[in-house]
């Protein structure tokens, strides 16, 4: 089946930076905010960007501070709010915050790890306004998943949690982090997601930061990235489920190369939201807010772009130096600055920073050589 025969539905996690007018701040409209409402977590995942701990970090935003922050979000556009962590369910007032965001007309989604979902909090998700949950599953069976997540029983508890979400009528998607260990299990992971009734399957290309910096040999090469993303392009033709490659900006270059070779126009009718979005949205349509209020381009790129405790969030979004750089093509160095696919890709700024020390450097795990270079 060709993608033109099944345009992918728009998902609560999708965003389009090319549509609609600028936000009231004069900056590009903010589409997605990943908000780490707490650093506390009950797992110790090997790939995690965060050195999570069992208790909240000192200085995490209070309920009043968090609600005041939510009140500023509409000034930047109409962003989807991803309540994440850590483990967001370990924050006692999380549903109070969700209700507050929902009352402001903001679309709310949540990224728990699945192990702490109960029948009660699944119903609370539904009642408070959570429109979708993402649950990370990195292997099709318990042993490999639990080894990656660092806690025995994590897989079975996540499966149980997904069952509770289904019972409560909460839509869910499956996220999978790509490593060398699970590359050959992708079809099995997809079949699991499909069998569970997931609304979408998102694959995440590993960014080697935080605990993931210790994975070493698990980080796939530039050539393997190219192979995975070409496989993903072909695999999408076989299912009507919404599939998305995340932290893989060069997919949007590959998608256009492959579609051109096949004589297919890249439009919302043929490729859904993928036709309208950009690879790296950090600073252009997306940002991350840490548990203590630090604003970053994304969770993997720990640049201090300002803190909401001292600077109004819309001002940070409008004036932060890294954000302004990411919006300026001339600021990109090397082949990312001259690439004919820059507008739809941009390269992963977090991988550039982690692997070269320069967040404006070329994407280090892209093997493509621009024709303009």
């Amino acid at each position: 089946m060709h993608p033109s025969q099944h345009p992918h539905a728009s998902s609560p996690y999708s965003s389009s930076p090319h549509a609609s007018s600028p936000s009231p701040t004069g900056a590009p409209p903010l589409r997605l905010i990943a908000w780490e409402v707490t650093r506390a977590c009950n797992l110790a995942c090997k790939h995690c960007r965060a050195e999570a701990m069992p208790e909240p970090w000192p200085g995490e935003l209070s309920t009043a501070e968090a609600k005041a922050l939510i009140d500023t979000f509409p000034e930047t556009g109409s962003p989807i709010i991803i309540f994440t962590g850590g483990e967001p369910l370990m924050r006692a007032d999380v549903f109070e915050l969700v209700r507050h965001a929902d009352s402001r007309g903001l679309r709310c989604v949540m990224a728990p790890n699945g192990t702490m979902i109960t029948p009660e909090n699944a119903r609370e998700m539904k009642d408070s306004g959570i429109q979708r949950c993402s649950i990370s599953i990195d292997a099709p069976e318990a042993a490999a998943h639990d080894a990656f997540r660092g806690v025995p029983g994590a897989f079975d508890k996540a499966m149980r949690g997904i069952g509770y979400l289904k019972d409560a009528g909460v839509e869910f998607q499956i996220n999978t982090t790509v490593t060398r260990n699970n590359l050959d299990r992708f079809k099995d992971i997809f079949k699991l997601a499909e069998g569970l009734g997931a609304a979408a399957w998102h694959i995440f290309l590993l960014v080697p930061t935080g605990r993931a910096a210790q994975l070493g040999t698990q980080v796939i090469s530039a050539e393997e990235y190219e192979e995975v993303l070409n496989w993903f392009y072909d695999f999408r033709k076989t299912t009507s489920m919404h599939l998305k490659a995340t932290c893989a900006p060069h997919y949007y270059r590959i998608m256009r190369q492959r579609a051109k070779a096949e004589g297919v126009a890249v439009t919302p009718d043929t490729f859904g939201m993928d036709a309208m979005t950009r690879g790296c949205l950090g600073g252009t349509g997306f940002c991350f807010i840490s548990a203590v209020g630090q604003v970053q381009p994304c969770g993997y790129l720990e640049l201090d772009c300002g803190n909401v405790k001292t600077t109004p969030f819309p001002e940070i979004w409008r004036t932060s130096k890294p954000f302004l750089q990411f919006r300026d093509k001339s600021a990109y160095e090397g082949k990312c600055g001259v690439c004919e696919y820059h507008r739809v890709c941009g390269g992963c700024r977090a991988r550039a920073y982690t692997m070269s020390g320069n967040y404006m450097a070329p994407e280090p795990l892209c093997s493509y050589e621009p024709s303009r270079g």
Side-chain angles (χ1 to χ4, degrees):
M1 184 185 297
H2 202 276
S4 62
Q5 295 174 268
H6 62 85
H8 296 294
S10 174
S11 90
Y13 277 62
S14 298
S15 64
S16 170
H18 303 305
S20 96
S21 58
S23 73
T25 65
L30 186 51
R31 302 298 185 180
L32 281 166
I33 299 173
W35 183 13
E36 180 189 62
V37 291
T38 182
R39 186 62 72 93
C41 188
N42 62 320
L43 297 183
C45 304
K46 290 183 178 179
H47 68 300
C48 189
R49 58 166 179 78
E51 296 295 339
M53 55 177 59
E55 301 296 331
W57 271 30
E60 291 189 0
L61 299 182
S62 67
T63 301
E65 288 173 324
K67 286 184 174 181
L69 174 61
I70 289 168
D71 289 339
T72 70
F73 289 160
E75 296 178 41
T76 65
S78 183
I80 298 167
I81 313 303
I82 306 172
F83 288 81
T84 184
E87 169 51 60
L89 292 176
M90 292 184 73
R91 176 155 179 147
D93 63 354
V94 66
F95 292 116
E96 184 178 350
L97 301 184
V98 172
R99 283 188 167 85
H100 191 73
D102 184 68
S103 74
R104 296 297 185 269
L106 297 167
R107 188 182 298 181
C108 301
V109 296
M110 186 175 282
N113 60 46
T115 65
M116 296 187 69
I117 298 174
T118 65
E120 293 74 24
N121 61 31
R123 287 193 295 269
E124 188 77 354
M125 288 181 201
K126 183 71 173 180
D127 294 344
S128 64
I130 292 296
Q131 296 192 23
R132 181 183 286 188
C133 274
S134 63
I135 307 295
S136 292
I137 301 294
D138 299 300
E141 77 290 313
H145 176 85
D146 291 357
F148 198 61
R149 293 284 152 178
V151 175
F155 182 86
D156 291 339
K157 289 177 181 177
M159 292 297 108
R160 183 186 64 192
I162 287 170
Y164 294 146
L165 291 176
K166 293 167 69 173
D167 292 343
V170 178
E171 188 177 77
F172 69 96
Q173 70 182 51
I174 298 299
N175 293 350
T176 300
T177 298
V178 181
T179 67
R180 188 161 281 124
N181 271 357
N182 66 6
L183 274 176
D184 62 346
R185 309 297 306 280
F186 262 37
K187 287 187 179 179
D188 294 332
I189 298 171
F190 169 78
K191 288 177 182 176
L192 174 64
E194 187 177 47
L196 289 169
W201 182 44
H202 289 201
I203 65 167
F204 284 72
L205 280 293
L206 188 68
V207 179
T209 187
R211 288 197 187 101
Q214 309 303 316
L215 285 178
T217 57
Q218 288 305 308
V219 180
I220 63 177
S221 67
E223 291 71 25
E224 287 169 320
Y225 267 72
E226 200 80 2
E227 292 175 11
V228 169
L229 295 177
N230 273 283
W231 172 86
F232 192 72
Y233 176 89
D234 289 324
F235 187 69
R236 293 182 72 199
K237 301 175 188 178
T238 69
T239 177
S240 59
M241 186 188 292
H242 180 261
L243 306 186
K244 182 174 175 58
T246 302
C247 297
H250 24 316
Y251 175 74
Y252 296 89
R253 180 253 308 164
I254 289 170
M255 181 181 77
R256 283 164 174 81
Q257 289 176 307
R258 295 289 306 276
K260 182 179 180 180
E262 295 170 0
V264 179
V266 177
T267 70
D269 288 336
T270 54
F271 288 92
M273 290 298 294
D274 278 351
M276 302 178 66
T277 192
R278 181 176 189 262
C280 181
L281 291 172
T284 64
F286 170 85
C287 73
F288 173 89
I289 304 174
S290 80
V292 296
Q294 178 173 302
V295 180
Q296 304 172 190
C298 74
Y300 298 108
L301 182 48
E302 293 191 22
L303 297 179
D304 187 353
C305 299
N307 194 293
V308 301
K309 291 183 178 180
T310 56
T311 306
F313 175 69
E315 181 179 335
I316 296 172
W317 177 246
R318 185 180 69 251
T319 66
S320 165
K321 179 183 175 181
F323 291 172
L324 294 176
Q325 289 177 293
F326 295 154
R327 298 165 191 168
D328 178 8
K329 182 183 177 182
S330 68
Y332 288 75
E333 300 177 12
K335 65 181 184 180
C336 281
V338 299
C339 184
E340 63 270 34
Y341 293 101
H342 174 87
R343 186 182 66 85
V344 298
C345 175
C348 177
R349 299 299 97 214
R351 272 194 293 269
Y353 184 65
T354 299
M355 300 176 74
S356 75
N358 176 7
Y359 59 80
M360 297 308 296
E363 155 75 66
L365 292 180
C366 176
S367 60
Y368 180 69
E369 290 299 328
S371 60
R372 297 182 192 177

